């Protein structure tokens, strides 16, 4: 989840501008050719379908303009959104849909800049919502989605978009289950009969891997700025604990200390890759190159390895006592309150189109991740093969980071900036630093 630092003046300005319905574009409006994907930060506009609205249906009378801000999941992101917009405009020809796609590496700044400028999108696809909800910038998403759409969204994944008071601020749009991905050939070479279940098993397997000849690492531990919060959470959960302590988050706890101590033990014994500031793609590349025996990954990680001829299998993430752990990650759809009833109506109608099976299926497939509607999940299970089946089954048992708690924003930032220091600092001292940073941001 991203962190949006909204100062009092900036927040008041954003709310004031939103109340006026301000939606002036702040990015390059130049549209690419039909067969091109815009560069990160590019914006394209799908104009109304024209004056001939005789067959437009009930939506023909709605005339307004809505703005969508979304990240790029891959080469097809632009086309996948455009497909939905084209179908939407068949019924709503007088609604102009402006789409801006930005790369994940710049996305947090893009969102924050638009909020501070009062240029609120109507629809935001992101992995954050708690700070936005706390700032009173959003509609509850169940105020917009139809009953049919809401009923089709997976209940477990929907819970991850609810605030502490139960308000449903966000709806999932994509999910991933993170499991232990391991190189079966390296396991066989090292004489490892089965994937590790406990931390003791993990230590033994890791030593067997590093004892092999060649430039091979045992376990990938990416603690860089992209997903340090995911990796660190798995070790805290593996120790039997959680970040959450009632309505608050507990950073410097006994279970966090135990989890961080195990992370440091893995690094100090040479069982991880040398650079703990690596991001997930760095360890994914090592796995796909046959240089890494184990990593936490989702379907794209498996796909990259298999595409290069590396044989991999899946297992729960090892824990202290051998009870497997799996982490779920969802990205979200949220709707900003721009104080405009026509834009609200158009946003609601667009989102119901978004989740229709025939439009949502190619959209989610373009991300390389997992679907979130029960109908599409069931369909995917019917055609899934191999490791994909395990990922889909894991969706019902995964644990989630406490993304609904506004304090998670600060903790996530602290982990992304500092978790890699476990390689050089003592766990207790590092947790104290993290705790101080979270308190300072709170």
């Amino acid at each position: 989840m991203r962190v949006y630092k909204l100062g009092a003046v900036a927040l008041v300005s954003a709310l004031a501008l939103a109340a006026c319905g301000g939606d002036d574009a702040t990015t390059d409006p130049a549209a690419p050719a039909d067969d091109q994907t815009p560069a990160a930060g590019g914006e394209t506009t799908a104009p109304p379908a024209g004056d001939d609205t005789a067959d437009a249906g009930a939506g023909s009378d709605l005339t307004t303009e809505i703005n969508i801000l979304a990240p790029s999941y891959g080469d097809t992101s632009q086309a996948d959104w455009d497909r939905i917009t084209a179908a939407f405009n068949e019924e709503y020809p007088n609604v102009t849909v402006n789409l801006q796609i930005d790369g994940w590496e710049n996305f947090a700044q893009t969102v924050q800049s638009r909020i501070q400028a009062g240029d609120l999108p109507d629809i935001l696809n992101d992995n954050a919502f708690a700070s936005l909800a706390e700032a009173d910038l959003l509609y509850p998403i169940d105020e917009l989605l139809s009953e049919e759409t809401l009923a089709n969204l997976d209940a477990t994944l929907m819970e991850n978009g609810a605030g502490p008071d139960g308000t449903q601020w966000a709806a999932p749009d994509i999910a991933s289950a993170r499991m232990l991905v391991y190189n079966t050939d390296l396991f066989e070479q090292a004489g490892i009969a089965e994937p590790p279940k406990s931390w003791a098993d993990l230590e033994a397997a890791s030593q067997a891997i590093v004892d092999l000849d060649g430039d091979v690492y045992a376990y990938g531990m990416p603690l860089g700025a992209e997903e340090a919060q995911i990796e660190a959470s798995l070790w805290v959960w593996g120790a039997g604990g959680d970040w959450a302590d009632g309505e608050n988050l507990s950073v410097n706890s006994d279970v966090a200390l135990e989890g961080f101590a195990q992370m440091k033990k893995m690094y100090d014994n040479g069982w991880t890759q040398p650079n703990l500031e690596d991001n997930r793609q760095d360890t994914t590349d090592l796995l796909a190159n046959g240089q890494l025996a184990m990593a936490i990954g989702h379907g794209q990680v498996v796909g990259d390895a298999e595409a290069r001829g590396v044989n991999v299998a899946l297992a729960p993430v090892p824990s202290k006592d051998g009870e497997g752990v799996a982490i779920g990650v969802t990205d979200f759809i949220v709707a900003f309150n721009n104080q405009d009833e026509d834009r609200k109506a158009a946003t609601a109608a667009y989102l119901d189109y978004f989740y229709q099976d025939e439009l949502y299926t190619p959209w989610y497939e373009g991300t390389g991740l997992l679907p979130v509607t029960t109908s599409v999940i069931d369909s995917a299970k019917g055609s899934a093969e191999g490791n994909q089946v395990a990922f889909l089954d894991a969706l019902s048992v995964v644990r989630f980071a406490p993304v609904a708690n506004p304090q998670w924003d600060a903790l996530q930032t602290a982990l992304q900036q500092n978790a890699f220091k476990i390689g050089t600092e003592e766990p207790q001292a590092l947790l104290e630093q993290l705790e101080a940073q979270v308190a300072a941001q709170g």
Side-chain angles (χ1 to χ4, degrees), residues 112-325:
Q112 182 169 320
S113 295
R114 287 189 61 166
I115 292 172
Q116 291 179 336
D119 180 26
L120 307 182
D122 296 281
I123 297 171
L124 174 66
N125 173 194
D126 198 0
N127 55 8
F129 73 90
S131 296
L132 303 175
E134 187 178 40
D136 200 27
L137 295 176
L138 305 177
Y139 289 115
I141 201 67
D142 54 3
E143 192 174 305
L144 279 75
L145 297 178
S146 67
E147 291 184 6
E148 181 181 5
T149 298
L150 288 168
N152 195 32
L153 287 163
D154 180 85
T156 300
L157 300 178
M158 276 291 281
E159 290 176 2
N160 203 36
D165 65 352
T167 302
Q168 192 71 47
W169 293 111
D173 66 329
I174 207 68
S176 66
R178 310 294 173 89
M179 302 180 70
L180 182 72
V181 184
Y182 63 98
N183 183 318
T184 56
D185 292 333
L186 287 177
F187 267 47
E188 183 176 353
Q189 293 175 34
I192 305 170
E194 61 181 9
K197 296 180 180 179
S198 67
W199 284 351
D201 296 339
L202 178 61
E203 293 173 11
S206 296
Q207 189 59 52
I209 293 295
V210 299
D211 286 343
L212 295 173
D213 293 332
D215 185 21
V216 177
Y217 306 112
Y219 180 84
M221 187 181 290
L223 296 175
E226 181 185 3
E227 285 197 339
Q229 73 280 7
I230 302 298
E231 185 70 30
S233 294
L234 284 166
W235 293 95
V236 173
W237 292 341
D242 201 346
W243 295 115
D245 182 13
E247 295 184 357
N248 297 313
L249 299 184
S250 178
V251 181
N252 188 13
S253 65
D254 290 343
V255 288
L257 178 59
E258 192 168 8
F260 272 54
Q262 185 65 29
M263 291 165 65
K264 184 170 183 61
K265 183 177 183 180
M266 293 290 293
Y267 177 78
D268 287 348
N269 281 279
W271 295 330
T272 72
Q273 83 283 6
N275 183 16
L276 292 182
E277 286 190 83
D278 281 346
N279 284 314
R280 183 71 63 194
Q281 190 59 50
D282 299 309
T283 55
T284 296
D285 290 342
L286 288 173
L287 186 74
N289 289 333
Q291 295 177 273
L292 184 66
M294 294 173 280
I296 307 305
H298 47 60
Q300 288 177 325
V301 175
V302 171
D304 286 353
E306 292 178 337
R308 298 194 203 179
V310 175
N311 296 314
V312 295
L314 298 173
V317 179
S319 67
K320 176 185 174 182
D321 61 8
E323 293 291 330
V325 179

